[in-house]
Amino acid sequence: MNLEDCLLAELSQGVAEDPDELRFALEQSRRFVVDDDHVVEKTVVQRVFDVMESDIETMTEILNKLGGATEADVRAAVKDSLGELKIRVANDIELIERVDPEEEQRAKREEEKVLRMKEKMAKKKELQKRRKRNKKEEDGEDSDSSEELGGQDAAEKKALAFRRLQVQIKIEEFLKSYTRGQNLVKINARGKRYARRVYVDTAKRALVIQGANGPKFFPFAAMKEVDLETRTTKEGRVETLVICAIEKEGRIVKELTLAFPDQAKASTFVNCVTLFSLALRRTQSD
């Protein structure tokens, strides 16, 4: 059914919903409007979602695809998107990013949890200092600082345990995602781009690129460096690259370059692959 020019009555009949309830739901979504003639039309919000081919695109690119919409229309659409669209700026270029509000809320809750733990540890440390000062005033002599140091050690151990737990969660999420495989873009040395399925083989401890001629294995232990780079393409699109330097017999013999549509996903990839590489290279050296 074509929603570019669709009557509310036809749509409600097609989805077996009450017309008034359907109209309310459509307008609440901010993606559709129903005019006085009961014609359902897409809002600029929905049109932006329709033309976006990746999670991040430039404002200019989106305006060119929309045709008649203005920059003010797009900015208003971002405000009306219920948090699913955001405006970012990179290298003085305005970008429109498609985000997952639930994922952002989860990340915000994790950040708030870390901040609360830091505040709790700071309050505990301040309380220990006050107790130490009170004891000095009561005894009139220097007090032993071992209690404070012991409290600091306990707080540091808790913080370290929390950071380790966070790293473990990130690694488990990464392995869960890449054991199934992810669709990424591989860029060769000549700059040619190929769509490839990328996954992790835990048995062989390697990153696997599924190509037209079969899988290629890149052992984590052979990865000397894993770097992150953000660049603007000739078309004005911002993309994030992950570059893995492959080492053999003490020298770099190849670079594996992967393009990511989302910088956060690229950062997680770099952090996890770097951890795997360091751990396996240290094991080999021992």
Side-chain angles (χ1 to χ4, degrees):
M1 184 174 293
N2 182 12
L3 293 182
E4 293 288 352
D5 185 15
C6 177
L7 291 174
L8 180 63
E10 294 175 353
L11 182 59
S12 63
Q13 185 177 0
V15 297
E17 290 286 346
D18 178 76
D20 292 335
E21 293 182 359
L22 180 59
R23 178 174 185 167
F24 178 78
L26 289 171
E27 293 180 339
Q28 285 298 305
S29 72
R30 305 290 180 88
R31 298 197 181 194
F32 301 94
V33 293
V34 182
D35 63 17
D36 295 336
D37 295 327
H38 294 162
V39 176
V40 179
E41 296 179 351
K42 293 181 181 180
T43 63
V44 179
V45 176
Q46 183 60 42
R47 290 171 60 201
V48 170
F49 280 114
D50 289 345
V51 300
M52 289 187 72
E53 298 174 5
S54 63
D55 289 337
I56 301 178
E57 295 190 18
T58 65
M59 175 73 79
T60 303
E61 193 173 23
I62 288 176
L63 287 172
N64 290 338
K65 292 179 182 179
L66 289 175
T70 65
E71 185 174 323
D73 293 335
V74 176
R75 292 183 185 278
V78 171
K79 291 182 179 179
D80 291 338
S81 67
L82 302 178
E84 294 186 66
L85 293 174
K86 288 189 180 296
I87 295 178
R88 311 282 192 194
V89 178
N91 299 328
D92 297 327
I93 298 175
E94 278 197 318
L95 310 169
I96 305 297
E97 181 181 6
R98 181 170 51 202
V99 298
D100 183 347
E102 291 184 3
E103 179 64 23
E104 282 213 336
Q105 286 296 324
R106 189 190 67 79
K108 186 178 180 181
R109 287 195 296 271
E110 289 291 335
E111 185 178 352
E112 290 174 350
K113 187 176 180 181
V114 173
L115 289 175
R116 284 197 300 270
M117 175 167 277
K118 287 182 178 179
E119 290 175 357
K120 186 176 180 180
M121 288 190 294
K123 288 179 180 178
K124 186 175 181 180
K125 186 175 179 181
E126 182 62 29
L127 180 60
Q128 290 170 347
K129 286 182 178 180
R130 282 203 303 269
R131 287 175 178 173
K132 181 183 175 183
R133 286 196 298 267
N134 292 338
K135 187 174 181 181
K136 281 184 178 181
E137 291 174 0
E138 291 173 359
D139 297 343
E141 59 184 18
D142 293 338
S143 63
D144 190 355
S145 63
S146 61
E147 181 181 351
E148 181 187 1
L149 293 175
Q152 289 179 351
D153 289 342
E156 289 173 358
K157 286 179 180 179
K158 287 183 179 179
L160 180 60
F162 179 75
R163 288 196 295 271
R164 286 175 176 171
L165 178 61
Q166 293 295 96
V167 171
Q168 181 181 343
I169 292 173
K170 288 289 185 185
I171 290 175
E172 288 175 355
E173 291 176 349
F174 174 82
L175 289 176
K176 183 178 179 181
S177 176
Y178 279 87
T179 299
R180 295 193 303 265
Q182 298 292 315
N183 293 323
L184 298 175
V185 174
K186 177 187 174 185
I187 304 175
N188 67 11
R190 298 184 183 89
K192 291 186 177 181
R193 306 166 71 91
Y194 302 93
R196 292 290 183 260
R197 189 73 173 172
V198 180
Y199 60 93
V200 171
D201 189 326
T202 54
K204 295 186 178 181
R205 299 179 178 181
L207 189 71
V208 185
I209 310 295
Q210 183 67 44
N213 299 322
K216 289 186 178 180
F217 294 84
F218 297 88
F220 293 121
M223 295 183 184
K224 172 88 172 165
E225 296 174 354
V226 185
D227 294 323
L228 188 70
E229 179 181 313
T230 301
R231 72 177 186 184
T232 304
T233 65
K234 294 179 180 179
E235 297 79 16
R237 180 180 298 173
V238 176
E239 65 178 1
T240 304
L241 303 182
V242 171
I243 304 168
C244 304
I246 310 301
E247 183 184 44
K248 186 176 181 181
E249 297 179 355
R251 63 188 185 90
I252 305 298
V253 296
K254 183 184 296 184
E255 283 190 347
L256 170 64
T257 303
L258 299 172
F260 284 74
D262 182 272
Q263 187 170 5
K265 293 178 181 178
S267 297
T268 299
F269 183 93
V270 169
N271 292 336
C272 292
V273 171
T274 299
L275 283 173
F276 297 157
S277 173
L278 291 174
L280 292 172
R281 290 168 71 87
R282 189 180 296 116
T283 302
Q284 287 185 350
S285 64
D286 293 343

